[in-house]
Amino acid sequence: VIGGTGLGNGGIAIINSTTGTGRIYFGDATGSGAGRNRGQVNYYHNGDYMMFAAAGSERFRIHEGGSVTTGICTATDFSGASGGAADFPNGITATSVDTTSGIDINANSNLRVGSGQNFQFKYTGSEAQIIQMDNSNPIRIKVRDGAETAAMFYPSGSVDLYFDDSKKFETTNDGVVITGIATVSQGANFDGIL
C-alpha cells in the first residue's frame, strides 16, 4: 500500500517486468480449482492491455491504443455516450449483436456486412440504399425463412423477379423476358418487340 496520513494520494502498486502480467483475482475456492479466479483484473505488460474476466473467461479488454473489445463487439472509439447510447465515429466491427433497443445509424453512414464490407445499407437523408460493392456477385432477396428466392440483382444491370421460387420476369439489355402469362387489365403501350 502506497500512502499515509501525511500524503494527499494513496494507492496500490503491482509491479511486474515488461513481459509480465499484474493480476487481481476474485474467487470462491482455494488451491488450483477454477473457482479461485472466477473474476479477474489483469494487466498484460507485453501487449499493454487491460483484461477483465467474469465466470473465469475474458469478457472485456482495453487495448493499448484505446480501442475496446467485448464479447459482443469491437469498437475503435467510444465517444458521446449518454442516455444509454454510444457513438462510434471510427466505425464498429461486430461478430454478433444482441439488442432489444435496435441499432441507430446516422444518415450518410453505411452499415457494412462481410469481411470485405461488400454489402452495405445506407440512408442518405432522402433515400434508402442497398449497395453491393463486389462487382462479381449478385444481390439475392429471399423469403419464407430463406427457402425461396424472390429477386436477384446482378452487377451487369439485369434484374430477375420470382414467384414461388420460379423466375417469372427478367430485365435484359434488349428489354424484358416474361415467363408465363402476362395479364394487362387497363391497356398497355409497347415500344419494341412483343
Side-chain angles (χ1 to χ4, degrees):
V1 178
I2 301 173
T5 56
L7 299 176
N9 299 303
I12 299 174
I14 301 175
I15 309 301
N16 300 99
S17 70
T18 57
T19 59
T21 302
R23 307 177 189 272
I24 299 176
Y25 286 161
F26 303 87
D28 52 22
T30 58
S32 59
R36 67 185 175 87
N37 56 3
R38 298 290 288 167
Q40 304 174 26
V41 178
N42 303 273
Y43 191 85
Y44 290 79
H45 293 273
N46 193 35
D48 271 333
Y49 64 89
M50 180 80 77
M51 186 271 278
F52 298 83
S57 297
E58 179 179 352
R59 306 298 182 188
F60 192 84
R61 181 182 295 194
I62 305 173
H63 296 272
E64 175 186 14
S67 62
V68 176
T69 301
T70 75
I72 295 178
C73 66
T74 300
T76 57
D77 191 7
F78 285 89
S79 67
S82 64
D87 295 328
F88 303 95
N90 293 329
I92 179 170
T93 300
T95 54
S96 65
V97 177
D98 183 7
T99 175
T100 57
S101 301
I103 300 174
D104 297 328
I105 300 175
N106 291 334
N108 291 312
S109 296
N110 292 26
L111 174 62
R112 299 181 290 268
V113 181
S115 58
Q117 301 180 342
N118 293 323
F119 188 54
Q120 303 185 11
F121 298 89
K122 182 178 183 178
Y123 181 68
T124 65
S126 60
E127 68 177 19
Q129 300 178 352
I130 298 176
I131 306 167
Q132 171 64 296
M133 303 298 291
D134 182 356
N135 291 325
S136 60
N137 293 305
I139 295 176
R140 181 190 301 266
I141 297 178
K142 306 190 80 172
V143 295
R144 296 187 178 177
D145 295 326
E148 296 184 2
T149 297
M152 294 284 291
F153 302 86
Y154 295 91
S156 63
S158 65
V159 176
D160 297 345
L161 301 180
Y162 291 72
F163 176 79
D164 199 21
D165 210 30
S166 178
K167 185 166 67 172
K168 300 297 183 181
F169 187 92
E170 175 185 357
T171 64
T172 69
N173 185 53
D174 298 320
V176 299
V177 176
I178 299 174
T179 302
I181 300 172
T183 302
V184 180
S185 60
Q186 297 296 325
N189 295 319
F190 297 97
D191 182 8
I193 300 172
L194 179 61

